[in-house]
Amino acid sequence: MSSATKNHQFLLSPKTDWLTIGGLSILLFPIFFFLIPNDSDLSGKAEWFLYAIAFVVNYPHFTVAYQLLYSDYRHLLLKDFRFIWAGIIVPILLFVYIVWAHFAKSEAMLAYFVEFMFVIVGWHFTKQAYGAVMVTSSMKKYYYNSWERHVLKFNMYALWITSFLSFNIGEKTYDYWGIKYYSLNFPKVAIHVAYGLTAASLFLFAGLMLFRIVKTKEWPPLISIISFVAIYTWFLPIMYDPIYFLAVPFFHSIQYFTFVLALKKNQIVAQTNSKDKALKTAIAYVAFAVLTGVLFFEGIPRVLDVAVTYDHELFGEGLFLFLFSVFINIHHYFIDNVIWRKDNELVKRHLFN
């Protein structure tokens, strides 16, 4: 961990960390759940606002990961197999699959593509939330033992599976940028089992924490509790509201940016001992991410959808919007799986003890 992090037990600011790490989603949840759905005009405005804010938060959170992989970790792209896999092999495989689906004129292959995306996006959200709990606790010198970590991780994955199953019980048809995909038609009993595992592991984790609190008279840091509670508002099916569900990627993205900016801030301060340079670097990093995010999620695919001839009757009007979005979402998981590891020197030095 950098000297900046050692001296200040926060990521960006003690006044804002709790908001960006998950607190904002908890605060806004009642508004989305109780107020907005009852006002159709307000619902429409909320949808447009969430679409607009994607340009400056959601899209850039993907492209900043590309900066980390292909800039900060570029020296490992041809040396470490994990980085070779994430940075070279995976994008090639995804591209080959897309070309194959195009020449096969198979909407079904694209349906499998988006279904795979939703599987790993949920997995990715869960891993990030777990990492948020671990990092924020570590900064406060609060460390979970092996049992506590395993039960916490099991509970969060059980919650994710419950969320995933809720969209895949029975026969349902969905649409993503004009491409139809279908639920996996699991039996209803599956989600009951998932609810049971989630509840049981939650009670077990609560029991472990209560035992520890009684024994040590020490509570987990509030910010790590917020990180944990937030993912329940994101994933728990009984809390689903269609507009709030659209906001979850935004909450995930600002949580992600909190760690990216903290990492870059601590890295630059450690190298130059200059907070001004760290701030300028962070601003440049974000600005480039915003620009590339707009280009790769909106600008380039929209131009290609107009300029390139393809079967619109089969693939709809937004094929390239679909392909760019799904490709980047899937690749993002593999990128994060290698760059945000505790054993990576950059992360270890500037985020963990």
Side-chain angles (χ1 to χ4, degrees):
M1 179 180 284
S2 70
S3 59
T5 307
K6 289 178 180 177
N7 294 332
H8 307 288
Q9 295 181 337
F10 54 84
L11 290 164
L12 297 178
S13 161
K15 295 181 180 179
T16 61
D17 279 2
W18 70 275
L19 276 174
T20 59
I21 211 72
L24 185 62
S25 60
I26 297 172
L27 290 176
L28 293 180
F29 173 77
I31 297 174
F32 276 93
F33 194 80
F34 296 108
L35 179 60
I36 292 179
N38 298 321
D39 188 325
S40 59
D41 184 55
L42 196 57
S43 294
K45 290 178 181 177
E47 288 184 33
W48 274 108
F49 175 76
L50 291 171
Y51 174 70
I53 207 169
F55 284 76
V56 293
V57 180
N58 301 22
Y59 298 163
H61 113 272
F62 289 102
T63 51
V64 78
Y66 280 95
Q67 293 182 70
L68 287 169
L69 178 64
Y70 292 108
S71 177
D72 295 65
Y73 287 104
R74 64 185 181 278
H75 60 289
L76 296 175
L77 283 172
L78 297 176
K79 294 180 180 179
D80 187 319
F81 179 75
R82 293 178 305 175
F83 286 87
I84 295 171
W85 168 253
I88 299 174
I89 297 175
V90 167
I92 290 174
L93 291 176
L94 293 176
F95 182 76
V96 169
Y97 186 85
I98 288 171
V99 173
W100 181 15
H102 171 73
F103 283 106
K105 295 186 179 298
S106 174
E107 187 182 31
M109 288 181 68
L110 296 184
Y112 297 144
F113 204 34
V114 71
E115 286 164 354
F116 179 59
M117 177 190 76
F118 282 120
V119 170
I120 64 172
V121 162
W123 183 273
H124 166 61
F125 278 27
T126 307
K127 288 185 69 174
Q128 180 175 300
Y130 174 78
V133 174
M134 292 296 107
V135 172
T136 53
S137 297
S138 175
M139 288 191 306
K140 303 294 184 181
K141 311 300 181 187
Y142 188 95
Y143 303 100
Y144 299 90
N145 63 39
S146 178
W147 265 102
E148 292 163 350
R149 290 196 306 272
H150 288 316
V151 174
L152 172 62
K153 189 179 292 186
F154 182 90
N155 173 252
M156 296 176 87
Y157 284 139
L159 175 63
W160 161 67
I161 291 171
T162 305
S163 173
F164 175 72
L165 287 173
S166 70
F167 290 97
N168 286 281
I169 298 297
E171 297 181 0
K172 302 172 186 174
T173 302
Y174 301 106
D175 183 284
Y176 190 78
W177 284 117
I179 300 296
K180 288 184 174 59
Y181 65 100
Y182 307 92
S183 67
L184 299 179
N185 198 20
F186 289 112
K188 197 168 185 178
V189 67
I191 196 167
H192 296 316
V193 172
Y195 266 119
L197 290 173
T198 302
S201 56
L202 178 61
F203 280 117
L204 179 57
F205 181 68
L208 290 172
M209 287 291 96
L210 181 61
F211 176 79
R212 177 169 175 167
I213 291 167
V214 170
K215 183 179 179 180
T216 65
K217 304 296 189 292
E218 183 183 15
W219 283 77
L222 178 59
I223 190 171
S224 67
I225 296 174
I226 290 172
S227 305
F228 175 64
V229 172
I231 197 171
Y232 268 79
T233 68
W234 299 0
F235 274 176
L236 196 63
I238 60 173
M239 293 183 174
Y240 278 168
D241 167 73
I243 306 299
Y244 183 82
F245 188 71
L246 293 176
V248 170
F250 164 71
F251 298 132
H252 163 80
S253 298
I254 60 172
Q255 186 185 75
Y256 187 89
F257 259 123
T258 302
F259 289 99
V260 172
L261 294 177
L263 177 69
K264 298 308 294 182
K265 176 195 71 174
N266 294 337
Q267 180 187 13
I268 300 302
V269 169
Q271 291 172 350
T272 66
N273 200 30
S274 170
K275 290 186 178 181
D276 288 340
K277 185 171 179 58
L279 178 61
K280 291 177 182 177
T281 301
I283 291 173
Y285 223 73
V286 172
F288 185 75
V290 171
L291 175 62
T292 52
V294 171
L295 282 174
F296 285 101
F297 276 93
E298 295 285 341
I300 295 174
R302 287 192 183 278
V303 169
L304 291 175
D305 275 324
V306 173
V308 177
T309 301
Y310 60 85
D311 190 340
H312 290 277
E313 186 175 340
L314 179 63
F315 296 123
E317 300 298 321
L319 177 62
F320 284 97
L321 284 165
F322 169 89
L323 292 176
F324 273 70
S325 177
V326 177
F327 181 103
I328 294 172
N329 268 278
I330 293 175
H331 193 204
H332 181 68
Y333 165 79
F334 289 96
I335 292 173
D336 278 7
N337 199 42
V338 296
I339 64 177
W340 295 107
R341 298 174 65 94
K342 188 177 180 179
D343 57 353
N344 282 343
E345 188 60 30
L346 191 65
V347 172
K348 182 180 180 180
R349 185 183 304 154
H350 301 298
L351 280 183
F352 286 95
N353 286 319

